[in-house]
Amino acid sequence: QEQLVESGGGSVVSGGSLRLSCLASGFFDNGYYMGWYRQAPGKEREMIAILDIDGTTTYADSVKGRFTISRDVLKTTLYLQMNSLKPEDSAMYYCAADLFSEAFHSFGAYTPGYRGLGTQVTVSS
């Protein structure tokens, strides 16, 4: 059974950085699209970074230029490097995977089939 396990969340002050990791063995070599989305209390889920199977990356405007999605060369771990963090970045962050791009590029209409339990990010001003 494939599983996604996130880690790396925590509390930082505004302007700080965090790197989230998602152990994702078995997904990269089987044609899964991967991504990170987040949800803050009282707010809708927001897809923030997508890694397509051809390596193309896509970012939400809210994080573009500050966040970077990547994977390790062994294709076991998905990362989200988050720089210049702002209080509005505070949320639960989830790693997700799906065989269909629509699960990420039409997020909201579709939901990725796999996701982890999430890791909390809190940014204080």
Side-chain angles (χ1 to χ4, degrees), residues 33-105:
Y33 294 81
M34 307 288 296
W36 291 90
Y37 71 90
R38 66 187 181 186
Q39 186 165 26
K43 295 187 177 181
E44 297 214 352
R45 299 176 306 169
E46 179 186 19
M47 182 62 68
I48 56 172
I50 303 168
L51 179 63
D52 286 346
I53 56 176
D54 64 358
T56 301
T57 57
T58 306
Y59 299 94
D61 288 342
S62 59
V63 306
K64 199 172 294 182
R66 300 187 298 124
F67 291 12
T68 303
I69 187 171
S70 64
R71 65 185 179 203
D72 68 333
V73 294
L74 295 177
K75 296 183 179 180
T76 61
T77 307
L78 183 73
Y79 298 105
L80 184 68
Q81 177 66 42
M82 306 187 296
N83 298 328
S84 302
L85 282 162
K86 306 174 182 179
E88 52 264 43
D89 293 317
S90 297
M92 184 72 80
Y93 283 70
Y94 299 92
C95 173
D98 200 280
L99 286 170
F100 299 100
S101 66
E102 288 82 1
F104 294 93
H105 293 283

Side-chain angles (χ1 to χ4, degrees), residues 1-5 23-28 30 32 97 113-115:
Q1 179 97 20
E2 293 89 348
Q3 286 187 319
L4 299 169
V5 182
L23 188 59
S25 296
F27 285 93
F28 292 115
N30 291 294
Y32 281 84
Y114 293 91
R115 72 154 210 198

